[in-house]
Amino acid sequence: MKVALNKKIKENVAKLLMWLSMAIVVVLVVSVVWTVFSKGAKAMSWDMVSKLPGGGFYIGKEGGFLNAIVGSLMIVGASTVLGLIVSIPIVLFLNVYLRKESRLAYVVRLAFDVLFGVPSIVYGAFGFTLMVWFGLRTSLLGGIIVITLLIIPIFVRTMDEASRNFPRGILDACLSLGATRWETLKVVVRQIAPGIATATLLSIGRAIGDAASVMFTAGYTDSIPTSLSQPAATLPLAVFFQLSSPIPEVVDRAYAAALVLTIIVLLISIAGRFITSRFSRHKV
């Protein structure tokens, strides 16, 4: 009886701690979202999202931050495509061509675990060093390259965890039926499609909200870049630069930019959940 009572007490304490942890997380998320929405809504207008910065934009006059919205989407879109192109073959090589106990697979996973935890400012410094080495200036291309390097470890490790749960019997069945390597890989990709969607969602969230790396490589401009060699503005940097202003109107615009950034991430999250649920239908 005493042992059962102790187990019941421990179970109730564990439940209480879990509910308390969830409540703390919910309160923090709601606080952040409410702060951004309440302060950003005051300065939000159609001009903010449809116009480029005017002559007196940074002292509270006319204009918007369309340049930052377009710049962020251009960098994140190109980086996501490049990240997928690089990461999917790595994941397939680790989980289809190599044995589970392969030492090479262990070393590769360890390397990507280390890269996963490297701060974004280190990627920015590395990208800036490469740009100086090759004689490049801050540009859209520089931002795309450094963000691609930043999100590749996220792609690889997230998709790798999904692939390691892949039923090996399906792979053996494909090979026993005479399927080619390419046909087998297509089956594997379809099975890990929810993992790919999740990895893409996480990578976009990390990429679109990063400021440290693009500050060194993409730079900032009040115009929309028309070539890869021109600098590009991003929403995180727009928030950073305007939030440090002593002018209240400009600070409110920083929260408006943060609001737009939050809405973009929210829409991407909803779309990602929808795509993941669609792909999950094909899982075994």
Side-chain angles (χ1 to χ4, degrees):
M1 179 69 69
K2 188 175 181 179
V3 174
L5 181 61
N6 290 335
K7 289 184 177 179
K8 187 67 174 179
I9 293 174
K10 291 180 180 178
E11 182 180 348
N12 290 334
V13 170
K15 287 182 178 179
L16 178 62
L17 291 175
M18 286 188 293
W19 279 104
L20 182 62
S21 300
M22 185 181 69
I24 292 174
V25 172
V26 171
V27 169
L28 290 175
V29 172
V30 171
S31 299
V32 171
V33 173
W34 173 254
T35 300
V36 172
F37 271 78
S38 61
K39 293 188 176 183
K42 294 189 300 182
M44 182 59 65
S45 65
W46 178 246
D47 287 347
M48 288 291 104
V49 296
S50 63
K51 292 185 178 181
L52 297 176
F57 179 74
Y58 298 104
I59 57 174
K61 296 184 179 180
E62 72 282 346
F65 43 78
L66 178 63
N67 57 322
I69 297 174
V70 176
S72 290
L73 295 178
M74 292 172 71
I75 291 176
V76 172
S79 300
T80 302
V81 173
L82 291 176
L84 282 171
I85 292 174
V86 174
S87 302
I88 290 179
I90 295 174
V91 173
L92 294 177
F93 179 73
L94 289 174
N95 293 278
V96 177
Y97 286 89
L98 294 181
R99 302 187 308 274
K100 284 188 175 181
E101 63 276 8
S102 170
R103 181 167 296 181
L104 176 59
Y106 173 80
V107 172
V108 171
R109 289 189 175 103
L110 178 62
F112 278 106
D113 281 338
V114 174
L115 291 173
F116 189 94
V118 173
S120 60
I121 195 169
V122 176
Y123 283 97
F126 175 72
F128 181 74
T129 302
L130 288 181
M131 293 170 64
V132 172
W133 178 268
F134 289 106
L136 301 176
R137 304 175 62 182
T138 53
S139 61
L140 176 63
L141 177 61
I144 292 173
I145 291 174
V146 75
I147 292 297
T148 301
L149 295 176
L150 177 68
I151 64 177
I152 283 177
I154 304 176
F155 270 124
V156 173
R157 293 306 290 132
T158 306
M159 288 190 291
D160 181 55
E161 289 300 323
S163 301
R164 296 175 79 172
N165 297 323
F166 172 74
R168 305 295 296 186
I170 296 179
L171 182 61
D172 296 334
C174 290
L175 296 176
S176 65
L177 291 173
T180 63
R181 286 284 188 181
W182 176 250
E183 291 170 337
T184 303
L185 291 179
K186 289 194 292 185
V187 174
V188 175
V189 169
R190 170 164 289 195
Q191 289 298 311
I192 68 172
I196 296 176
T198 301
T200 303
L201 179 63
L202 293 174
S203 300
I204 291 176
R206 175 75 183 275
I208 200 169
D210 184 70
S213 58
V214 292
M215 182 185 298
F216 292 111
T217 54
Y220 198 86
T221 179
D222 288 344
S223 59
I224 297 176
T226 56
S227 70
L228 292 174
S229 60
Q230 295 179 349
T234 56
L235 281 170
L237 286 182
V239 175
F240 174 75
F241 291 141
Q242 295 179 79
L243 200 59
S244 58
S245 173
I247 303 174
E249 292 82 3
V250 179
V251 174
D252 289 340
R253 291 176 177 180
Y255 283 104
L259 175 59
V260 172
L261 182 59
T262 303
I263 292 174
I264 291 175
V265 173
L266 178 62
L267 293 176
I268 292 173
S269 299
I270 294 174
R273 295 297 180 186
F274 175 75
I275 294 172
T276 300
S277 62
R278 291 291 298 272
F279 282 136
S280 297
R281 299 177 184 175
H282 302 291
K283 285 195 67 177
V284 175

